[in-house]
Amino acid sequence: MEYTHTIDGRGETSETFFDVINPAEGKPFAQCPDASKAQLDAAVAAARRAFDAWKQLSYEDRRGYLNRFGKAFKERVDELIPLLVREQGKPLAAARAELSYTPLQIEKLCALEVPDEVLRDDERGRVELRYRPLGVVGIITPWNVPVSIAVGRIAQALYTGNTAVQKPSPYTPLTTLKMGEISRDILPPGVLNIVAGGDSLGPWMTEHPGIDKIAFTGSVATGKKVLASAASNLKRVTLELGGNDAAIVLEDADPAKVASDIFWAAFANSGQICLAIKRLYVHDSIYEPFCAALAELARTAKVGDGMDPEVRIGPIQNRMQYEKVLGFLEDTRRTGARILTGGRAMDRPGYFIEPTIVADIQEGTRLVDEEPFGPILPVIRYSDIDDVVRRANDTRYGLGGSVWTSNIATGAAIAARLEAGTTWVNQHSLPDAHVPFGGAKESGLGREYSTLGLKGYMEAQVLNIPKAKAG
Ligand code: NAD
């Protein structure tokens, strides 16, 4: 298969290439073109040229283009599933779910409206609040859910009248490049450019004077660099960053009912989800049975190459992350915590780590305080609700949080006290197009999705019109 950037509506290769590794084998399986600075400049220039006509289209026209793109993508889903599994590592069913969501995600986002608002209309005149597109949006995305995250930002940027240059992670660039290929027959040239590259490409984008906004999704550390660099021309910035989500299980929760949902909210995508449960607080009175139920789920979940339809948990996506997660395990072992199951790398090629449940662990350890982003869950004991809320909030992260209980009203009252962008009762799930999504504290800046998200891709403009006077 050939992989090309999409620049000004055309496919382009590069002079140099980098390897894309299948994490289930730990070996390269494809080569990706590595965009040069000149290619990025060409993509930005094309997006700038396309902006004038694109911004003048109605929402309805842009919705039409985007939904046609979604439909064309849908026709290619079956073909793209194995590619996403091979580059990302996730199981077949998860790859199918991610790719199949694309047309629906576009449809949902493009069904939203950003109406102009009338702030005052009286004898003095009329004051309107309007929303205008910003220009060229640079979209930088991570390797964990590469297609969905990119599509969400692309749909919001384009629907609101901007044009875009998108850069996938160098670990998972290929399905996204294919998405660009599909767009070429549908979107006007330059409206969507997709360029893949190595470590320099992201900083080139955040420094680029021709880019008006950066929509970044990735780690907190990189997010801070993006924000600093975007200051060069005061680019608008949204940052969707890491999390260390706490889930609190109250004493009235039934392990038989909620353990499985909690387990999968922590271990789906091998724990590599921003909104995964990463700290589980369980009431002392049900602590042991709860730990036992989780350990059983971890022991019986089939781990392996995502291409095997029986597999539920794939490898860690890349070598660096794999070594990072092993570092967390080593550190955890030193703390004297009880490793109930897992705890080791698997003796096979690829970046596999056994699903790991850790009991009798506290704050002050790396596993509890940081984001491991892997298949390893600390289960922490508590006995007092005010104390556990304080501990759950005692973090620089603030992406999500959940409360699990048989009393929904109590759950809602406690969930509202969690300092996070999204909190739930008896669930801990993924973003939806109609609902604003983003992080409190160091988990992010701004919101994606919903009309609030769309407004983040626009500039508010006040139009102040006096009442017409004769003469
Ligand atoms: P990362 O920050 O290493 O990389 C993200 C993207 O930024 C990649 O495309 C990378 O090439 C690029 N990049 C790297 N350095 C850059 C720089 N200096 N300037 C501009 N771009 C640069 O993150 P990752 O390891 O790919 O992803 C994992 C992290 O992403 C986790 O922390 C996870 O929680 C977070 N994440 C957050 C969300 C969310 O919506 N909040 C969603 C998914 C992942």
Side-chain angles (χ1 to χ4, degrees):
M1 224 190 273
E2 211 204 358
Y3 304 100
T4 47
H5 314 290
T6 297
I7 300 174
D8 205 9
R10 286 188 299 274
E12 261 196 42
T13 190
S14 288
E15 279 171 15
T16 56
F17 292 80
F18 58 88
D19 286 338
V20 181
I21 290 170
N22 177 345
E25 294 173 349
K27 287 199 301 233
F29 76 98
Q31 295 260 296
C32 181
D34 184 358
S36 64
K37 174 74 167 62
Q39 286 180 309
L40 173 66
D41 290 343
V44 174
R48 177 68 51 202
R49 278 193 304 277
F51 177 57
D52 277 343
W54 184 253
K55 74 177 178 200
Q56 287 177 44
L57 296 180
S58 63
Y59 280 101
E60 199 181 334
D61 286 343
R62 291 195 294 259
R63 180 182 301 135
Y65 272 110
L66 285 159
N67 281 331
R68 280 199 292 287
F69 165 63
K71 193 161 169 275
F73 187 88
K74 191 174 179 180
E75 283 159 17
R76 302 279 294 275
V77 163
D78 284 343
E79 171 202 331
L80 294 176
I81 288 170
L83 179 63
L84 181 57
V85 173
R86 287 171 84 195
E87 69 172 341
Q88 206 285 331
K90 64 183 61 191
L92 279 168
R96 174 175 293 283
E98 179 174 350
L99 296 175
S100 306
Y101 184 49
T102 291
L104 192 62
Q105 191 181 13
I106 292 172
E107 211 178 291
K108 284 178 163 187
L109 284 167
C110 294
L112 299 168
E113 305 269 349
V114 189
D116 294 339
E117 294 164 42
V118 178
L119 302 180
R120 174 162 62 76
D121 191 5
D122 58 18
E123 67 288 349
R124 285 181 296 152
R126 185 175 160 90
V127 181
E128 293 177 12
L129 179 59
R130 297 184 167 199
Y131 294 92
R132 304 162 58 94
L134 293 166
V136 177
V137 178
I139 300 169
I140 302 178
T141 45
W143 44 257
N144 60 338
V145 196
V147 177
S148 264
I149 292 175
V151 170
R153 282 54 173 164
I154 289 168
Q156 291 177 99
L158 268 47
Y159 179 53
T160 48
N162 304 281
T163 54
V165 177
Q166 202 265 320
K167 182 200 94 66
S169 164
Y171 292 117
T172 52
L174 302 178
T175 319
T176 315
L177 288 181
K178 286 286 163 196
M179 185 166 78
E181 200 180 298
I182 295 167
S183 76
R184 285 175 213 158
D185 291 338
I186 297 161
L187 300 176
V191 166
L192 174 62
N193 305 272
I194 298 191
V195 286
D199 291 346
S200 306
L201 186 56
W204 288 339
M205 287 174 72
T206 57
E207 286 157 14
H208 206 293
I211 293 182
D212 303 288
K213 166 176 172 138
I214 294 285
F216 174 82
T217 310
S219 61
V220 173
T222 311
K224 289 180 181 177
K225 289 186 199 162
V226 167
L227 188 59
S229 167
S232 58
N233 64 337
L234 278 185
K235 288 180 184 65
R236 278 38 182 167
V237 176
T238 39
L239 302 174
E240 293 294 344
L241 308 178
N244 193 11
D245 290 9
I248 302 174
V249 183
L250 304 190
E251 61 186 317
D252 65 2
D254 178 356
K257 284 204 183 125
V258 299
S260 171
D261 286 354
I262 288 178
F263 177 82
W264 287 110
F267 286 87
N269 212 26
S270 304
Q272 303 165 121
I273 296 184
C274 52
L275 276 173
I277 294 176
K278 293 175 183 140
R279 294 176 289 153
L280 182 64
Y281 289 92
V282 177
H283 192 271
D284 189 39
S285 62
I286 54 166
Y287 188 80
E288 291 303 337
F290 216 91
C291 285
L294 290 169
E296 181 60 15
L297 286 158
R299 264 191 295 274
T300 50
K302 181 157 182 187
V303 182
D305 186 333
M307 293 302 285
D308 173 349
E310 302 286 305
V311 158
R312 301 286 309 275
I313 297 181
I316 303 293
Q317 199 282 323
N318 59 73
R319 175 146 216 119
M320 202 167 82
Q321 185 62 28
Y322 171 74
E323 281 167 3
K324 192 173 151 196
V325 176
L326 288 177
F328 272 94
L329 285 173
E330 216 178 288
D331 189 76
T332 301
R333 219 170 270 117
R334 275 199 297 268
T335 66
R338 203 160 35 115
I339 296 180
L340 295 179
T341 186
R344 284 171 311 210
M346 290 169 74
D347 186 18
R348 55 175 293 168
Y351 310 137
F352 289 94
I353 292 179
E354 295 169 342
T356 302
I357 305 286
V358 181
D360 297 341
I361 186 158
Q362 296 275 342
E363 295 82 0
T365 56
R366 279 190 63 205
L367 182 60
V368 177
D369 295 350
E370 298 175 28
E371 182 191 39
F373 222 54
I376 164 168
L377 179 69
V379 190
I380 310 153
R381 202 187 287 266
Y382 80 91
S383 52
D384 176 74
I385 199 67
D386 291 331
D387 176 56
V388 75
V389 169
R390 184 192 54 73
R391 290 158 77 187
N393 287 336
D394 187 17
T395 168
R396 66 193 179 107
Y397 293 101
L399 199 55
S402 57
V403 179
W404 301 73
T405 169
S406 55
N407 185 329
I408 305 282
T410 309
I414 297 168
R417 293 169 63 192
L418 297 177
E419 296 165 357
T422 307
T423 58
W424 298 268
V425 179
N426 292 345
Q427 54 190 315
H428 202 116
S429 55
L430 296 177
D432 190 359
H434 291 85
V435 180
F437 170 64
K441 302 182 186 174
E442 292 193 19
S443 284
L445 199 63
R447 292 292 181 269
E448 298 285 355
Y449 307 134
S450 79
T451 46
L452 199 58
L454 293 180
K455 285 177 184 173
Y457 287 81
M458 307 185 89
E459 192 71 64
Q461 181 190 38
V462 173
L463 187 61
N464 205 321
I465 316 155
K467 273 275 157 5
K469 282 200 193 103

